[in-house]
């Protein structure tokens, strides 16, 4: 077996997901055409490492080996082989060198995905926030740096990205446990409410689990309030509109998860939510 095969493996780990599968815009038409290729390079890399961590057929150590190899290509410590996963890291490296966006916006993601690969447990709300610091917040910071915006935007951007990540955990909590044996619901909250992770597989939300969800959504409400300040920090008009739209969508999805049952079916944004986001974006144009 060649060294490349040992490191990268032979199996395709792609989930088949693309930008259209996300809740929120990825490199949308609101962003500058000049910057869009760089955003897509970042998204492609993030999708690959996410797929590696979520691959059901790879053992944990193989996932970590592949993630380590992606980081080595990204940092120029290893040459990329002719495979989509390795090439995504090489393309992002070229993009980061061209745009001078810090490499930490890409390498920090690997901290979270290595934890996912190992099957990390989350006991408290603070544990979950620490995970989001690496799994989600680098995305907003990447975009802020790419647009040359003031670092004062980092705080509300972190709040928004953390909100979006926790909302996604709530949407997919049953699937994550069933497919990946992974639970992001803090065990301390579940114990306090008198429930456990296995209740996520019940097909409907019990009163006890609803208390856990509502506690998490209370935290998300606070994050959304902090995130509402983000558009005011953004000078680039098109990027400001994008931020305003995403903040509006975060508020709308939070409301839906309050009213609907994520264990009975995936709670998703609807056309009316997109309309509210479009209105928020237009208001941010001025």
């Amino acid at each position: 077996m060649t060294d490349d095969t040992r490191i990268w493996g032979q199996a395709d780990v792609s989930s088949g997901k693309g930008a259209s599968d996300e809740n929120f815009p990825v490199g949308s038409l609101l962003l500058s055409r000049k910057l869009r290729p760089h955003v897509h390079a970042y998204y492609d890399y993030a999708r690959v490492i996410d797929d590696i961590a979520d691959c059901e057929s790879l053992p944990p150590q193989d996932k970590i080996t592949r993630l380590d190899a992606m980081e080595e290509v990204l940092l120029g410590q290893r040459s990329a082989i002719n495979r989509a996963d390795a090439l995504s890291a090489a393309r992002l490296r070229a993009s980061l060198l061209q745009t001078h966006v810090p490499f930490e916006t890409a390498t920090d993601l690997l901290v979270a995905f290595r934890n996912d690969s190992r099957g990390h447990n989350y006991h408290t709300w603070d544990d979950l926030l620490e995970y989001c610091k690496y799994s989600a917040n680098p995305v907003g910071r990447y975009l802020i740096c790419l647009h040359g915006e003031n670092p004062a935007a980092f705080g509300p951007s972190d709040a928004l990205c953390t909100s979006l990540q926790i909302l996604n955990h709530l949407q997919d909590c049953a699937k994550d446990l069933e497919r990946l044996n992974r639970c992001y619901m803090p065990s301390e909250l579940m114990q306090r409410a008198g429930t456990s992770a296995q209740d996520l597989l019940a097909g409907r939300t019990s009163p006890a689990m609803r208390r856990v969800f509502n506690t998490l959504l209370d935290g998300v409400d606070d994050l959304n309030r902090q995130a509402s300040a983000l558009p005011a920090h953004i000078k680039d008009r098109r990027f400001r509109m994008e931020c305003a739209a995403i903040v509006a969508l975060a508020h709308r999805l939070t409301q839906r998860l309050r009213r609907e049952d994520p264990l009975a079916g995936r709670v998703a944004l609807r056309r009316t939510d997109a309309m509210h986001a479009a209105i928020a974006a237009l208001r941010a144009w001025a």
Side-chain angles (χ1 to χ4, degrees), residues 42-256:
Y42 185 85
Y43 174 82
D44 290 344
Y45 160 85
R47 170 53 58 202
V48 166
I49 59 177
D50 190 19
D51 285 349
I52 291 171
D54 287 354
C55 182
E56 298 173 58
S57 62
L58 285 178
Q61 189 52 52
D62 286 359
K63 293 179 181 183
I64 292 170
T65 297
R66 288 203 193 188
L67 292 172
D68 289 347
M70 289 286 289
E71 182 170 35
E72 290 168 0
V73 173
L74 180 71
L75 298 178
Q77 299 167 353
R78 174 187 295 275
S79 298
I81 63 172
N82 189 27
R83 278 181 46 147
D85 43 6
L87 292 176
S88 72
R91 283 193 295 270
L92 181 57
R93 172 177 171 78
S95 171
L96 295 175
L97 290 172
Q98 180 182 343
T99 60
H100 305 293
V101 173
F103 273 73
E104 288 79 10
T105 59
T107 55
D108 278 359
L109 294 175
L110 291 162
V111 175
F113 293 135
R114 288 188 183 102
N115 280 340
D116 282 342
S117 299
R118 296 184 184 102
H120 192 75
N121 294 318
Y122 303 91
H123 300 291
T124 66
W125 170 257
D126 286 342
D127 290 341
L128 190 56
L129 295 185
E130 181 69 10
Y131 172 80
C132 295
K133 175 182 175 181
Y134 294 99
S135 70
N137 298 1
V139 179
R141 291 182 175 231
Y142 168 81
L143 290 169
I144 288 166
C145 293
L146 182 66
H147 283 83
E149 297 287 348
N150 193 312
F154 286 164
S157 170
D158 288 350
L160 177 59
C161 291
T162 295
S163 164
L164 300 181
Q165 180 71 88
I166 295 172
L167 290 171
N168 183 251
H169 290 332
L170 286 166
Q171 286 177 294
D172 294 340
C173 55
K175 183 178 71 174
D176 285 341
L177 184 61
E178 184 176 15
R179 289 182 52 247
L180 302 168
N181 195 31
R182 187 183 299 164
C183 180
Y184 297 100
M185 305 297 108
S187 58
E188 180 183 83
L189 293 184
M190 290 190 290
Q191 290 168 7
R192 193 185 309 161
T195 187
S196 69
Q198 287 306 307
D199 289 340
L200 294 171
L201 304 178
R204 57 191 291 272
T205 299
S206 67
M209 189 60 74
R210 174 45 70 179
R211 289 195 291 273
V212 175
F213 291 166
N214 286 344
T215 299
L216 291 173
L217 290 169
D218 289 343
V220 169
D221 280 336
D222 184 56
L223 291 167
N224 287 342
R225 282 190 288 271
Q226 297 174 51
S228 295
L230 177 59
H233 286 279
I234 304 301
K235 293 182 179 179
D236 183 277
R237 182 176 284 175
R238 297 171 70 97
F239 184 33
R240 185 168 68 247
M241 293 175 69
E242 174 100 343
C243 291
I246 297 176
V247 169
L249 290 173
H251 281 282
R252 299 287 294 186
L253 185 53
T254 304
Q255 293 168 7
R256 288 204 174 278

